[in-house]
Amino acid sequence: MKLKGFIVIALVFLACPTGCRRAPDGPVFTAWGSLGRSDGRFFQPRALHIEPDGNILVLDTTGRIQRFDPSGRFLYAWNLPEIEAGTAWNMAESASGEIFVPDTHYSRVLVYSREGILLRQWGRQGHGEGEFIYPVGVAVSDDGMIYISEYGGNDRIQVFTPDGGFVRQWGACGTEPGQFRRPAAIAFDAGGILWVADMANCRIQSFDKMGKLLACFGAPGGAVGELRFPYGIAIGPRGNIFVVEYGNNRIQAFSPGGVSLRCWGSAGRGQGMFAGPRGTAVDKAGRVFVADWDNHRVQAFNPGLGN
């Protein structure tokens, strides 16, 4: 049904009709990490990024970014400059290899080399163009522009050049389609559509690069197709959308049309269970990696969707 230029998608619940369960063909294929501050261990991992060579960056609340190979073997680490006020939520990489980190509690964006060298930063606290309250999500478009989501009263998407030059913005705090309440992770698909985990509105929204609303789906709840505090979002190789639900302790996969395809996970400490999952990433083979926040680990799954 088209309403004022956007599409509200009715969800068709194809999987797990009475609730979510772990997908039988989607077992954990690897998991690593435990509570700690030494190399290869985590204190509340909250963000993941998969590099072009398949290595995995993991950011936790110690302010460390650790690099692992696809099997979970520790390779390298570096630290954010400040963490007293809080730590970052997400990261993304440009085609040139620069890593962009919205430094959430310092109202700025940090830019690193692949070796972890701080190259530059931009932003300051405020409500104006190029200013932030709490920047949280980041995505890089195919033309190299940097998209940042933020909350704290601004609740918008801002677009920048790689050097931090302001380009445009859209959004406002609210519940109407096109508005946000604590937008969290954002991700581009192969067609250049930006997908936004609208966390406190318990829904997913998508936009073109200019900010035109394309789709809006999801509602608060624990049934299939419903969402409870979606923190993380990632796009699979075939365009399916993987959403980490902090409030439901599960992962839910949607088609680009908003159809719930599969969900798995529950609250707990065992394999395939979660304790407040925050971030997610999908590799070229379609394997889904999850930052399992209060279990202090990373888990990875084969979702069985050909993604």
Side-chain angles (χ1 to χ4, degrees), residues 28-300:
V28 176
F29 77 85
T30 189
W32 73 90
S34 60
L35 177 61
R37 298 174 184 269
S38 58
D39 293 346
R41 304 176 77 182
F42 305 112
F43 187 81
Q44 296 177 326
R46 66 190 314 169
L48 299 169
H49 168 68
I50 297 177
E51 298 181 292
D53 60 5
N55 288 335
I56 302 153
L57 300 180
V58 184
L59 170 65
D60 71 5
T61 55
T62 67
R64 291 178 304 164
I65 296 176
Q66 298 186 72
R67 177 179 283 115
F68 299 86
D69 72 13
S71 69
R73 182 173 65 92
F74 173 82
L75 300 174
Y76 185 71
W78 71 88
N79 294 296
L80 302 184
E82 298 175 273
I83 63 169
E84 289 80 8
T87 52
W89 287 30
N90 287 288
M91 52 191 159
E93 187 172 351
S94 69
S96 65
E98 292 184 333
I99 298 166
F100 294 81
V101 181
D103 199 4
T104 306
H105 296 275
Y106 290 91
S107 303
R108 64 189 177 188
V109 177
L110 305 172
V111 187
Y112 289 94
S113 70
R114 280 185 176 149
E115 294 72 34
I117 298 170
L118 182 61
L119 302 175
R120 61 188 180 277
Q121 63 184 57
W122 78 80
R124 62 182 182 182
Q125 190 174 70
H127 300 280
E129 295 178 350
E131 298 177 335
F132 305 107
I133 301 300
Y134 296 117
V136 288
V138 58
V140 183
S141 64
D142 55 11
D143 57 0
M145 296 294 102
I146 313 303
Y147 288 66
I148 304 289
S149 62
E150 61 170 319
Y151 75 94
N154 290 343
D155 293 86
R156 62 186 175 182
I157 307 292
Q158 294 194 73
V159 185
F160 300 88
T161 66
D163 292 325
F166 175 81
V167 178
R168 59 182 171 271
Q169 66 176 344
W170 73 86
C173 185
T175 60
E176 294 298 316
Q179 296 179 335
F180 305 109
R181 291 174 61 224
R182 297 190 68 153
I186 59 178
F188 276 104
D189 67 17
I193 294 173
L194 182 71
W195 295 87
V196 180
D198 190 5
M199 186 181 64
N201 279 326
C202 299
R203 66 188 180 188
I204 305 300
Q205 300 196 73
S206 65
F207 301 85
D208 69 14
K209 293 177 184 177
M210 300 305 294
K212 178 184 177 182
L213 180 64
L214 302 176
C216 178
F217 62 83
V224 175
E226 296 177 339
L227 298 164
R228 185 170 285 127
F229 301 120
Y231 264 81
I233 191 168
I235 312 302
R238 294 191 179 180
N240 290 336
I241 303 146
F242 293 87
V243 180
V244 171
E245 297 181 62
Y246 175 83
N248 282 326
N249 287 292
R250 69 185 184 189
I251 313 301
Q252 189 160 188
F254 294 91
S255 74
V259 175
S260 179
L261 301 174
R262 176 157 296 150
C263 55
W264 69 92
S266 60
R269 306 292 182 184
Q271 179 175 289
M273 305 173 80
F274 303 107
R278 294 292 186 105
T280 187
V282 182
D283 69 10
K284 294 177 181 178
R287 297 174 296 190
V288 180
F289 293 76
V290 180
D292 193 2
W293 167 264
D294 263 337
N295 282 326
H296 312 288
R297 64 185 176 186
V298 172
Q299 295 193 77

